[in-house]
């Protein structure tokens, strides 16, 4: 007879309060909205197209494009970002070869002249006899009474009152393709030849002040502008990339799906929503009595994952420990020899994020405080050997008396990420350092041995590193979390991008458990997510078991729920360590 799946909403207030003392609190995450109305789809009213290297002009929620139709006739369109409406701009002065906003006026460069234009009416207020040496697009920028025009790897400079040409300014980057007006007498130099590099260049000091990589299609860079000192707009009808990007901790992130921790110390971004299903496959090799199985469930809420709308097999017992690790103990009726059962034991709506923590430099190690709070996460063990001469020597070599947590984490991340990956034998940290290779578990051992040795709590993360194209998950990855005062637990992931930055990982892990040692208290015998309870381990030879974890992305067709009853609510709190029976 088919077992019913009964669902309920878990209110984990008691567990959360106790877990908060251990750093397991769920932070408030605030969505970072776009300031502008960005369309999902965009097209010009007719058959017009835009040229790759020509930029748009942005002014007061309006975008201006020069377009060309199939008959090669040129038009200028004004697009209102709030209303999504177009307006044709009358223009008969020839092909635009560059434009910019300058003190409330548009400067428009053609082959023979430079025009000063009213941005609201496009009435010509002034013109200059300033020729362009070619018929190709050249970005222009106005700043502090001067006009700057891109010319290969330097800037042409003209006084806007007299049109006197001033000495050219050499640029600190080769193959500059675009210049964009910035803030405080700075311009942005853009090149897709240097890995989508953007340099903020001071026109006063003639020096680079900042440098970023823009993680988008290289063609979309030609349709980018800076809205505020920390906000950028990409609006490219060619690549169909539209959106705002924000600057956080020296890096650029799209606002779509972006949220920021309420204290501003972290952002998470690029979410993927899925439905996950745990399917337990059992085959009795001989008569089997009623059996109980521990099934490890993903952590419900972390800085990088959320689970909602969960359903659980009945009858089962859900256990929650003080660090948020969850175990579902499932009771299965007796089976006859040769009998096979496929049992859906769990499902939930999963959201996973990429994460980026911004670490301050003034956080120091507080060993005594950490030892009282996290004794298990600072303890020595066979896989760490904190006082082994090899570990101590590597620690001294890397840290050289540093005391800042950020510096210690940076040095550790750089070193561990440099250790070549090779499927290992789960050897202890000294051996891994000596042989200079290892698997994800061994990389984790080295990270923990280096950091626990200087008083930074570190723990092992059991997780799955999904291949997004795969519909089935397997339990196959480890990394480390470290405790940072004022932040909580943050990731140290040396094998996934960007590898050497503490607190930053641009892949979406699915975390099952966080542990001070490689041994799960309810699972023995290696990496697995399901096992008979300890009292019934002797029955292991009578049953073959396999846990399949299926993942279905949001939007995929699904027949789920057709035979399931409605989900009742249950508001009982789960205290730390308490077991709740699912009816």
């Amino acid at each position: 007879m088919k077992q019913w799946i009964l669902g309920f909403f878990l209110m984990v207030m008691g567990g959360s309060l106790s877990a908060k003392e251990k750093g397991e609190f769920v932070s408030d995450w605030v969505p970072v909205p776009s300031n502008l109305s960005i369309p999902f789809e965009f097209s010009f009213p007719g058959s017009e197209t835009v040229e790759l290297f020509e930029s748009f002009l942005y002014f007061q929620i309006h975008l201006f494009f020069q377009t060309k139709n199939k008959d090669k006739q040129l038009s200028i369109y004004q697009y209102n970002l709030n209303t999504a409406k177009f307006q044709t701009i009358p223009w008969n002065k020839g092909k635009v070869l560059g434009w910019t906003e300058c003190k409330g006026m548009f400067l428009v460069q053609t082959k023979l002249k430079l025009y000063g234009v009213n941005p609201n009416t496009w009435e010509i207020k002034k013109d200059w006899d300033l020729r362009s040496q070619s018929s190709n697009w050249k970005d222009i920028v106005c700043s502090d009474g001067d006009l700057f025009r891109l010319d290969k790897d330097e800037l042409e400079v003209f006084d806007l009152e007299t049109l006197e040409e001033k000495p050219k300014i050499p640029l600190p980057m080769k193959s500059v393709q675009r210049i964009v007006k910035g803030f405080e007498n700075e311009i942005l130099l853009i090149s897709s030849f240097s890995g989508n590099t953007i340099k903020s260049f001071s026109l006063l000091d003639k020096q680079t002040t900042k440098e970023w990589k823009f993680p988008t299609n290289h063609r979309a860079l030609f349709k980018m502008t800076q809205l505020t000192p920390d906000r950028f707009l990409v609006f490219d009808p060619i690549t169909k990339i539209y959106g705002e990007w924000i600057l956080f901790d020296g890096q650029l992130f799209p606002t779509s799906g972006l949220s920021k921790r309420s204290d501003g110390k972290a952002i998470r971004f690029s979410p993927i929503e899925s439905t996950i299903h745990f399917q337990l496959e059992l085959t009795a090799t001989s008569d089997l009595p009623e059996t109980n199985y521990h099934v490890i469930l993903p952590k419900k809420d972390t800085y990088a994952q959320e689970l909602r709308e969960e359903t659980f097999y009945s009858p089962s017992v859900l256990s929650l420990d003080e660090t948020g690790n969850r175990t579902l103990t499932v009771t299965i009726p007796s089976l006859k020899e040769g009998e096979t059962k496929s049992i859906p034991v769990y499902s939930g709506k999963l959201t996973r994020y990429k994460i980026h923590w911004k670490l301050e430099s003034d956080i120091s190690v507080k060993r005594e405080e950490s030892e009282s709070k996290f004794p298990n996460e600072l303890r020595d063990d066979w896989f760490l050997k904190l006082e082994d001469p090899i570990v101590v020597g590597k620690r001294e070599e890397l840290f050289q008396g540093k005391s800042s947590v950020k510096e210690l984490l940076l040095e550790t991340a750089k070193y561990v990420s440099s250790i070549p990956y090779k499927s290992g034998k789960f050897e202890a940290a000294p051996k891994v350092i000596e042989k200079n290779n290892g698997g994800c578990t061994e990389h984790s051992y080295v990270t923990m041995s280096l950091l626990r040795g200087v008083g930074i709590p570190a723990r092992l993360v059991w997780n799955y590193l999904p291949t997004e194209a795969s519909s089935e998950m397997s339990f196959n990855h480890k990394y480390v979390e470290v405790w940072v005062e004022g932040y909580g637990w943050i990731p140290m992931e040396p094998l996934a991008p960007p590898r050497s930055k503490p607190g930053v990982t641009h892949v979406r892990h699915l975390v099952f458990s966080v542990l001070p040692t490689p041994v799960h208290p309810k699972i023995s015998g290696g990496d697995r997510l399901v096992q008979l309870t300890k009292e019934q381990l002797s029955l292991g030879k009578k049953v073959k078991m396999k846990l399949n974890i299926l993942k279905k992305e949001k939007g995929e067709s699904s027949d789920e729920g057709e035979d399931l009853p409605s989900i009742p609510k249950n508001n009982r709190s789960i205290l730390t360590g308490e077991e709740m029976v699912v009816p």
Side-chain angles (χ1 to χ4, degrees):
M1 180 179 179
K2 181 174 179 178
Q3 297 286 336
W4 292 110
I5 305 283
L6 295 183
F8 59 88
F9 293 91
L10 299 177
M11 301 292 292
V12 291
M13 297 305 296
S16 293
L17 288 174
S18 176
K20 185 171 182 178
E21 298 173 4
K22 291 284 186 179
E24 296 299 330
F25 57 91
V26 179
S27 302
D28 292 328
W29 291 92
V30 182
V32 178
S34 294
N35 291 339
L36 301 170
S37 297
I38 308 297
F40 291 104
E41 296 183 3
F42 172 87
S43 60
F44 293 104
S47 58
E48 286 84 357
T49 59
V50 293
E51 294 292 332
L52 172 61
F53 289 102
E54 294 184 7
S55 64
F56 63 75
L57 186 58
Y58 172 79
F59 183 72
Q60 295 180 350
I61 71 164
H62 292 93
L63 300 179
F64 297 86
F65 293 92
Q66 178 172 243
T67 67
K68 180 175 62 176
N69 65 17
K70 60 183 179 180
D71 297 322
K72 298 187 178 181
Q73 293 178 325
L74 298 174
S75 300
I76 295 178
Y77 280 106
Q78 173 185 286
Y79 176 73
N80 188 308
L81 283 164
N82 281 351
T83 66
K85 292 183 178 179
F86 287 94
Q87 180 179 343
T88 304
I89 301 300
W91 181 255
N92 59 4
K93 301 301 180 182
K95 182 180 179 181
V96 176
L97 301 178
W99 50 17
T100 188
E101 185 273 335
C102 184
K103 297 181 180 179
M105 179 172 64
F106 289 167
L107 298 180
V108 181
Q109 175 74 68
T110 66
K111 178 68 175 175
L112 300 178
K113 284 184 175 288
L114 178 72
Y115 293 95
V117 176
N118 182 313
N120 298 311
T121 65
W122 277 72
E123 176 187 358
I124 295 176
K125 295 294 186 181
K126 191 174 182 180
D127 64 73
W128 296 263
D129 289 323
L130 182 64
R131 297 177 63 91
S132 176
Q133 299 303 313
S134 75
S135 298
N136 296 324
W137 185 276
K138 288 187 176 182
D139 282 326
I140 58 176
V141 165
C142 159
S143 178
D144 201 25
D146 288 335
L147 178 74
F148 300 85
R149 187 166 66 187
L150 179 63
D151 184 26
K152 296 182 180 178
D153 296 327
E154 55 188 5
L155 296 176
E156 297 177 298
V157 187
F158 303 90
D159 184 294
L160 272 175
E161 288 297 323
T162 64
L163 270 194
E164 176 187 354
E165 186 169 3
K166 297 184 177 182
K168 293 182 179 181
I169 300 174
L171 296 177
M173 181 167 64
K174 297 295 184 183
S175 303
V176 175
Q177 296 162 292
R178 281 214 60 204
I179 58 173
V180 173
K181 189 172 185 178
F183 290 82
E184 298 179 352
N185 293 308
E186 293 189 350
I187 62 172
L188 305 183
L189 311 177
I190 300 172
S191 175
S192 64
F193 292 106
S194 304
N196 288 11
T197 297
I198 300 178
K199 290 188 177 184
S200 188
F201 180 71
S202 171
L203 294 170
L204 296 178
D205 300 330
K206 312 298 188 293
Q207 292 182 349
T208 299
T209 59
K210 295 176 284 289
E211 182 176 325
W212 313 296
K213 297 289 185 181
F214 209 118
T216 189
N217 182 287
H218 67 281
R219 295 189 174 199
L221 286 180
F222 304 126
K223 302 293 187 292
M224 185 275 288
T225 193
Q226 189 172 15
L227 302 173
T228 68
D230 65 350
R231 216 171 254 263
F232 299 77
L233 172 67
V234 173
F235 202 101
D236 183 17
I238 299 175
T239 62
K240 308 299 182 184
I241 295 174
Y242 313 105
E244 286 186 57
W245 299 67
I246 69 164
L247 193 61
F248 178 83
D249 195 26
Q251 296 189 40
L252 289 156
F253 301 90
T255 58
S256 176
L258 182 73
S259 55
K260 183 181 288 189
R261 208 170 84 152
S262 55
D263 58 10
K265 293 180 178 179
I267 61 169
R268 58 188 190 183
F269 58 103
S270 299
I272 283 185
E273 297 180 14
S274 313
T275 300
I276 55 172
H277 300 272
F278 280 43
Q279 196 84 10
L280 181 58
E281 309 288 345
L282 299 177
T283 300
T285 57
S286 60
D287 288 351
L288 191 68
E290 179 181 88
T291 45
N292 297 308
Y293 300 83
H294 288 320
V295 179
I296 306 302
L297 299 183
K299 286 169 68 71
K300 183 164 185 175
D301 288 308
T302 73
Y303 49 78
Q305 75 186 38
E306 293 179 345
L307 276 162
R308 298 291 182 267
E309 301 180 30
E310 298 182 284
T311 61
F312 304 80
Y313 176 82
S314 173
S316 61
V317 175
L318 180 66
S319 303
L320 173 71
D321 71 13
E322 62 184 5
T323 56
N325 297 327
R326 303 192 301 166
T327 306
L328 192 68
T329 305
V330 178
T331 300
I332 305 297
S334 60
L335 299 175
K336 295 292 185 180
E337 181 179 354
E339 188 177 355
T340 297
K341 271 190 176 293
S342 179
I343 305 146
V345 296
Y346 169 81
S347 70
K349 301 290 186 181
L350 171 68
T351 306
R352 291 173 294 123
Y353 300 85
K354 300 179 182 181
I355 186 74
H356 186 112
W357 293 84
K358 179 182 180 181
L359 294 177
E360 302 297 334
S361 301
D362 58 353
I363 308 168
S364 57
V365 177
K366 299 178 181 178
R367 180 186 282 272
E368 290 186 6
E369 183 177 322
S370 294
E371 286 176 344
S372 65
K373 194 182 252 187
F374 305 107
N376 292 330
E377 288 77 10
L378 282 169
R379 191 168 293 151
D380 199 359
D381 212 320
W382 70 266
F383 61 97
L384 300 177
K385 299 185 178 179
L386 301 183
E387 301 306 320
D388 186 284
I390 293 176
V391 173
V392 173
K394 180 58 68 175
R395 205 180 288 135
E396 291 174 350
E397 173 193 333
L398 295 174
F399 299 157
Q400 299 182 11
K402 294 181 174 68
S403 59
S404 160
V405 170
K406 182 177 180 179
E407 289 180 318
L408 295 170
L409 297 184
L410 278 169
E411 292 301 327
T412 301
K414 285 192 292 185
Y415 165 64
V416 178
S417 65
S418 73
I419 298 175
Y421 180 86
K422 183 179 180 181
S423 184
K425 302 176 181 178
F426 307 108
E427 292 174 307
K431 182 64 176 177
V432 181
I433 293 171
E434 187 177 47
K435 68 178 185 175
N436 194 38
N437 65 60
C440 59
T441 303
E442 292 170 306
H443 282 76
S444 299
Y445 291 170
V446 174
T447 301
M448 295 168 74
S449 69
L450 293 173
L451 295 177
R452 283 192 186 184
V454 293
I456 297 177
R459 66 190 188 186
L460 193 66
V461 181
W462 284 32
N463 75 101
Y464 170 65
L465 181 57
T467 301
E468 301 302 352
S470 174
S471 61
E472 188 169 346
M473 294 184 171
S474 58
F475 181 53
N476 66 348
H477 191 54
K478 303 284 197 312
Y479 66 92
V480 172
E481 285 181 343
V482 296
W483 171 262
V484 180
E485 190 65 37
Y487 290 75
W489 293 98
I490 70 170
M492 297 281 286
E493 168 55 285
L495 294 175
R499 294 168 56 90
S500 60
K501 292 187 178 180
V504 179
T505 180
H506 291 174
V507 293
R508 307 170 188 88
H509 301 87
L510 175 58
V511 172
F512 289 93
S513 297
V514 290
L515 303 165
T517 74
V519 179
H520 194 286
K522 294 192 175 181
I523 298 289
S524 61
D527 294 351
R528 65 184 71 186
L529 295 176
V530 62
Q531 192 175 63
L532 285 159
T533 57
K534 291 182 180 179
E535 298 78 14
Q536 294 189 312
L537 282 177
S538 60
L539 299 175
K541 294 182 179 180
K542 295 186 175 184
V543 62
K544 293 180 180 179
M545 70 187 83
K546 181 182 179 184
L547 183 67
N548 296 320
I549 304 177
L550 306 178
K551 174 172 65 75
K552 186 170 292 185
E553 303 302 340
K554 182 178 179 181
E556 291 185 40
S557 60
S558 173
D559 297 325
E560 63 177 289
E562 291 183 358
D563 299 322
L564 301 183
S566 59
I567 299 177
K569 294 182 180 179
N570 187 323
N571 292 326
R572 179 182 171 191
S573 296
I574 298 181
L575 300 175
T576 298
E578 178 186 356
E579 295 187 337
M580 172 177 281
V581 176
V582 181

